[in-house]
Amino acid sequence: MTDNNTGLVLEGGAMRGLFSAGVIDVLMENGFTFPALTGVSAGAAFGCNYKSNQPGRALRYNLKYCKEPKYCSFRSLGKTGDLFGAQFCYHDIPERLDPFDIEAFEKNPMKFYLVVSDIETGLPHYKRVDSVDDDCYEWIRASASMPLVSRPVELDGHKYLDGGVTDSIPLRFAEGLYERNIVVLTRPRDYVKKPASKMWLFRRSLKKYPKMIKAVANRHLMYNEQRKYVFGREKAGKALVICPDAPLDIGRIEHDPEKIQKTYDLGRQAAMKKLEEIRGFLANDN
């Protein structure tokens, strides 16, 4: 089913993003296509598989490598400065171990946007990725590079970290492309974000970047306001929201294959329950 006027938005959430991976796999398997996908952090890292038409890929490599220290570990953080290994996660896996379908990605007309945070301005930056090269993988890495446990990623003369810090749910950006959107969240409807704990760590880690420190300190306000906006757009008939019914039992990092599989399965179940609603939402697009 092809729809030309409805976008797809994926928020982040580190390993909670496996919920979104389950959702988008169901969408792909049921033939839903979108003119644009906007993903942030894990939403970008897993969402790129929509443009390459590779359902199951995100789950597959997470299950296979979740206990591999080079994939995600404090050993990796100590040795490289990145909790999620930059070379292993963003080059070895897509280039050799579980190949990313470059040809499919580049042939698919769907626009793929990701969000990064410019650590010098403390503002979000939106990058459209059409082709696959080293910079493509590095943009995705930048979008998912969490403060404290990641090195800034330098691209085009700017330094970037996790896009979720400055635009956690990029619906407003997506509405600049298409007024109607399907939005996949990784927190339940009643979730309210609290201020960041241990701000002193962020201040020390980001001491050269005061505007980024301010963005981290205010993130809970931005995030809660964005959720209010998302549900308001849903009430107005301009958004369809897919989210967990309850908090996901998975850590920001996760080495337990059962929890990884369960989180993914919950995403699939949520999408399956909404299939007819999705079809109706797309059919009613004007």
Side-chain angles (χ1 to χ4, degrees):
M1 179 177 182
T2 301
D3 180 79
N4 293 318
N5 297 294
T6 298
L8 179 62
V9 178
L10 307 178
E11 82 157 317
M15 295 302 279
R16 293 195 314 274
L18 286 159
F19 175 89
S20 301
V23 171
I24 64 174
D25 281 0
V26 168
L27 297 181
M28 280 189 274
E29 291 162 5
N30 281 271
F32 295 106
T33 62
F34 299 87
L37 184 157
T38 304
V40 57
S41 195
F46 298 156
C48 62
N49 294 296
Y50 209 122
K51 186 168 168 64
S52 67
N53 192 30
Q54 291 179 281
R57 181 173 176 271
L59 174 68
R60 184 171 61 241
Y61 69 70
N62 273 284
L63 287 175
K64 186 171 183 179
Y65 298 114
C66 63
K67 295 185 178 181
E68 168 59 60
K70 290 185 292 185
Y71 182 66
C72 176
S73 68
F74 287 104
R75 185 190 309 177
S76 172
L77 177 62
K79 290 180 66 175
T80 71
D82 293 301
L83 185 68
F84 286 86
Q87 177 63 37
F88 189 79
C89 293
Y90 296 99
H91 294 281
D92 293 349
I93 290 177
E95 292 170 4
R96 297 188 297 103
L97 301 175
D98 197 326
F100 190 64
D101 192 332
I102 296 174
E103 182 179 4
F105 182 92
E106 294 182 345
K107 284 186 175 180
N108 189 337
M110 181 178 76
K111 304 178 187 75
F112 176 67
Y113 294 90
L114 54 78
V115 189
V116 292
S117 295
D118 186 317
I119 64 174
E120 293 174 326
T121 66
L123 297 173
H125 174 73
Y126 306 91
K127 175 69 175 178
R128 177 174 168 179
V129 179
D130 296 309
S131 59
V132 179
D133 52 21
D134 281 351
D135 277 358
C136 165
Y137 298 134
E138 289 298 287
W139 279 109
I140 293 171
R141 178 166 79 93
S143 184
S145 290
M146 298 179 288
L148 297 184
V149 293
S150 309
R151 295 170 295 164
V153 180
E154 188 165 348
L155 290 157
D156 295 343
H158 296 268
K159 295 177 181 179
Y160 299 110
L161 283 172
D162 191 339
V165 174
T166 53
D167 192 351
S168 298
I169 311 170
L171 177 58
R172 285 187 175 91
F173 170 81
E175 288 182 330
L177 306 169
Y178 300 96
E179 186 180 17
R180 291 161 58 86
N181 291 272
I182 291 176
V183 183
V184 183
L185 305 178
T186 59
R187 299 282 198 184
R189 286 179 176 269
D190 60 355
Y191 177 77
V192 177
K193 191 171 187 63
K194 297 178 181 179
S197 61
K198 301 179 180 177
M199 270 302 300
W200 67 272
L201 284 174
F202 291 101
R203 292 190 179 96
R204 186 174 71 177
S205 175
L206 298 167
K207 61 184 178 181
K208 295 180 180 179
Y209 309 104
K211 292 180 180 178
M212 189 65 174
I213 293 172
K214 184 177 179 180
V216 172
N218 292 333
R219 185 183 181 187
H220 66 293
L221 301 174
M222 175 269 294
Y223 185 74
N224 292 333
E225 187 279 330
Q226 286 188 331
R227 286 177 61 88
K228 182 179 179 180
Y229 181 77
V230 167
F231 294 123
R233 296 301 284 165
E234 180 184 47
K235 189 174 181 179
K238 299 299 183 181
L240 187 154
V241 178
I242 304 172
C243 63
D245 292 330
L248 297 170
D249 182 22
I250 192 166
R252 294 186 67 81
I253 61 173
E254 188 58 67
H255 303 297
D256 184 343
E258 290 186 4
K259 289 188 176 183
I260 288 171
Q261 183 71 57
K262 181 181 179 182
T263 302
Y264 171 84
D265 289 344
L266 287 170
R268 290 191 63 91
Q269 292 165 20
M272 290 298 294
K273 284 199 302 186
K274 290 256 188 182
L275 269 183
E276 292 308 312
E277 190 175 346
I278 293 168
R279 289 193 179 98
F281 184 76
L282 298 180
N284 290 330
D285 197 355
N286 296 312

